[in-house]
Amino acid sequence: MASGTVIGLWRWPVAGMRGERLSSSRLDVRGVAGDRVHRVDGPPDPRLAHWSATYPFTPDGTIDPDNPPFPNVHSPDGGEVLRWGDPWLNHALTRDLRRRVHSVRDLTTARGMIVATRLPPEPALAGVNVQLDVDPPEGGWSGTVLSFEHGVRLRMLTSRADGPGIETLVLAGGRLQLGEHVALG
């Protein structure tokens, strides 16, 4: 049975914006706690990738997945920090994206997780939740179960068409942390 190590963890408070690096995280059937819970309505817009979002008062795995906080959103130049839900945020995003926007908070949709063994040159934009130091299994990832040292279990589904990762389904939630061992089986 092949094994490896967790070498990177990320959370993306707002879909399409830059995310934040973690040292540990809570997972449940929806994926990483607080991950992609917030989004800007409308079609994907590459300008969003110039913005970033963080949960500054709930680092790493301290977020309650049933009630994540509102993230802070940082403007592309870093000059403005606005709180999700603040009308000024919608105004700033409308001005920057050149279209009327509304901020959305969705606590019910299952988002799954994205796992990768290699990251693109700009990891802050990759959308990957977990990076592993492990060789891919013979025959590919699809159907492979990842069993982590502290009880988390993921089933690998399929490679993403738009990125470096593999979509996964959370079979057993819990806490995941950097340096944790994982077995493929």
Side-chain angles (χ1 to χ4, degrees):
M1 182 182 309
S3 64
T5 306
V6 176
I7 59 173
L9 289 171
W10 291 269
R11 174 175 55 213
W12 314 92
V14 178
M17 292 185 184
R18 292 174 181 264
E20 54 188 353
R21 237 183 134 93
L22 306 171
S23 61
S24 70
S25 184
R26 288 174 59 181
L27 287 80
D28 66 10
V29 294
R30 294 167 288 196
V32 171
D35 187 58
R36 297 177 181 94
V37 169
H38 304 90
R39 64 180 163 73
V40 173
D41 69 345
D45 191 319
R47 284 283 309 152
L48 275 178
H50 298 280
W51 293 75
S52 63
T54 60
Y55 293 119
F57 305 111
T58 49
D60 298 324
T62 60
I63 286 184
D64 174 1
D66 294 320
N67 190 25
F70 292 103
N72 283 351
V73 177
H74 307 261
S75 65
D77 65 4
E80 276 186 293
V81 178
L82 300 163
R83 187 98 165 139
W84 194 262
D86 179 341
W88 286 106
L89 174 61
N90 283 347
H91 176 73
L93 287 168
T94 294
R95 186 179 62 237
D96 188 49
L97 302 179
R98 297 180 183 95
R99 66 177 173 87
R100 190 165 186 77
V101 301
H102 295 92
S103 51
V104 177
R105 178 175 168 95
D106 177 3
L107 300 176
T108 59
T109 301
R111 288 155 188 84
M113 292 180 42
I114 306 298
V115 174
T117 57
R118 290 178 290 129
L119 293 179
E122 183 92 39
L125 302 175
V128 171
N129 296 110
V130 181
Q131 183 185 5
L132 302 175
D133 181 15
V134 64
D135 292 324
E138 281 188 38
W141 289 106
S142 186
T144 301
V145 173
L146 302 175
S147 297
F148 294 85
E149 181 178 350
H150 299 294
V152 170
R153 292 182 57 236
L154 307 175
R155 178 179 307 280
M156 309 297 269
L157 299 175
T158 183
S159 294
R160 286 181 46 175
D162 66 342
I166 299 102
E167 293 184 34
T168 65
L169 175 67
V170 178
L171 300 176
R175 183 172 298 282
L176 193 62
Q177 59 191 39
L178 285 176
E180 187 169 340
H181 294 287
V182 59
L184 281 67

